Amino acid sequence: MSGAANPVKPLEMTGNEDPDKLAEFEQRIADGVLIEPGDWMPQAYRMGMLGMAEHHANSEIIGALPEGEWITRAPSMRRKLALTAKVQDEVGHGQMLYRVSQELGKSRDDMLRDLVMGKTKYHNCFNYPAPTWGDIAMIQWLIDGAAIMNQKTLADGAYGPYVRTMNRINMEEAFHFKSGEDMVLTLMSGTRAQKQMTQDAFDRWWPVSLMFFGPADKPDAEQRPAMRWRMKVERNDSLRQRFINRFAPAAMDLGLVINIVTKDEQGLVTSTKPDEGLVLDETTGNWSFTEPDWDEFWRVIRGNGPCNAHRLSLRRFSYEQGGWVRRAIGAGSTSMPPAA
Amino acid sequence: MDAMLADPLAVLVLAHADDKLLLGHVQSDWTGLGPLLEEDIAASAMSQDDLSHALILYEFLGKRFDLDPDVIAFERAPEDYACCDLVTFPDEFDWATSLVKRWLVAVFTGLGLERLGTLDDADLSARCDRIMPEQRLQVAHLGNWIRRLGSAGGESTARMQAAVDRVAEVTGTLFEVPGHRLEEDETYCCGRDDLFTEWNGIVQATLAEAGLTGTFTLPERSTVGGRRGTHAGHFTEQLTEMTEVRRVSPGASW
Amino acid sequence: MSKIRERQFNHDGELPPGTPDTQHWVVYTRKKEGNPFKWAGSLNAPDLELAIQFAGEHYGLDEACIAVLVHHADDRTDGPCGLEPLEPGTADGDDGSDWTVLVLPRRGGNLQEAGTIKAPDAETAIARGTRAHANGKIVQVCVVPTDRTVVITGDHDTLIWRLHDMTYKFARGYSKDVRAKWTRIRDEETYEDYRKEDIHSHF
Ligand SMILES: [Fe+2]
Ligand SMILES: [Fe+2]
């Protein structure tokens, strides 16, 4: 699953960088050269990349929680195995991205502590509930699908260590998406109860998917450091449009109705009406759509979503529960490879 | 299904398969919550191995009795499951309990499958051969952790010892005889004393290296427990959870 | 859902004291016989024994592989990373001990094993490694003393890749299924377009 599409703190130049070095750095990036750890980089870039990789890592391990709830309920041996492996992959992505962040100067432990104490954020979409098996299908189809679109663009970024990690991760995200697609197809080819479960889950996750890419960027985004330095390479709105063009027709062909919904505080749907704004513009090939509720987005990102408190407290429980193991091995030996 | 449940060899296979299924089921729930990310990933790989091994054995039974392996895994009555009470013993998300329990079972399963592989059935032997290397990997990985955390001293040793004490009483359930008909059947039931002695030898050696102690006893042959379908209460909860989605639309494809 | 996961926790107060990060190890995997080791990722572990286990159970299972190489991150010395492909240079000599040479084909790419050379120290090893392997196709040379690397192979004692069916992990065999399910809903042509688009522009 992915993180970095949510707004990362705006980057500001500290103003005391060597102007020649900075100019050379910016020229390299403009020329499409990737940055490797031994290269000179502005402090703001280093901090920005750390923030981005850390946010992404946090999202991977928090993202493991909603789906983790369904491992013990998966309805067949193969689904049980696939879901366990999928959640495990997300933990693996977190581990790799924490390593990228550690190399930028922050310790793993500090990052985990900041996460559980709410000092750092993770992707907003994991603050929504997954009350049925249909939600698991939707998360793997829509959210992993959105994550791939986003992470493909992140793999076109400029920071070498993040790019190679993203390439490795994307290979696994493709498995997640495929298995999600298969689950959605299976459910929508199934019984009435299965179809209803899928439509209900779709109603919960479609608006979350639209918000997945974050709100529209500022008009001058290309001039701001995040895009100028190729930490991100595509505007949120443009990613969202690609997502809708890809998934709206697929959903409709599957027999799903694309609704505008209202939700209660638990994130459960209270009313639905079909999105009349969803129209294909034949000339551009783009689907128009009704904007999701951005007030809700900001409410959730500030900590008041349906599952924020629960996600963090379960992570905190895990952190505290495992403390004794980390203390025990930390006190152990640090023997190096034996001499041959 | 009835033919399978009445077959002595099938019941013996089921005992191992159900141990693997329920252990994998309970342990996979830890995915994403382990004490360090690297071990979280390794432990989840072991859960996947356990579930895969259960499937390999259900496939053997499925072929023999013309049953869908998923139906064997998910759709039996609670009293037709032959897993023992140790695998379903709730660890309450205590890593030490999870680890100790998993290790005690892994050593047992390794020895059990070795014996199962020598019975006169080529398909079953081939399946056991496929499982064994992965089983050895598990025993090594878990044994390493038992030694490491047991000998770390202080808090760690105390927690590990508490975990051994917590599960000691139910550990003997591993050795219960599954199926009433097996109780007197020397072909399948023989060597239970040897099995226990060998298992206890391995377990005691590792515990000693870890600075831990545990006493385990072999239950009577006639003991009626989880292996004969009389499960502790938490088994029913776990099974209910496991089959929750399937019961939404019985018979549907998932 | 399991009892713990649905439990309402009541945390208050500060977190217990933290722990420092354990050692940093780098992991490379070899996919098939004759292929070089390629960078897979890195991890934290307190010692080599656990580093090897973690490496196998994570990176060794991400893709089919037959061997895993692990070294301590501090044991690797990285040469300068060029903006242009490196020239071989003129360093020669064959005294000293064995160094494993790893090369970066391009910025943002993955380090891969190129071979072994002899050298008295890291700097010389990089110069000799560059001489031996810079062919206008690499931008960086890194070296690790060979006796500080550990290779585990997936034979029966140190199994890495599993013997059981692992297809569940890679959504393999789904393509046919998915096609069959889609074409019950969509015509072949629409499905083909959608699938091609998947491969080229999105995924
Ligand atoms: Fe994913
Ligand atoms: Fe991910």
Side-chain angles (χ1 to χ4, degrees), chain B residues 71-118:
Chain B
V71 170
I72 305 179
F74 288 85
E75 295 184 10
R76 273 174 290 156
E79 62 274 19
D80 292 336
Y81 284 81
C83 49
C84 70
D85 285 352
L86 178 63
V87 297
T88 56
F89 185 82
D91 59 34
E92 302 294 347
F93 273 75
D94 170 60
W95 186 253
T97 307
S98 151
L99 192 61
V100 168
K101 179 179 117 172
R102 182 167 227 190
W103 167 67
L104 294 170
V105 180
V107 175
F108 167 82
T109 309
L111 298 174
L113 290 181
E114 228 167 58
R115 285 161 168 76
L116 208 56
T118 63

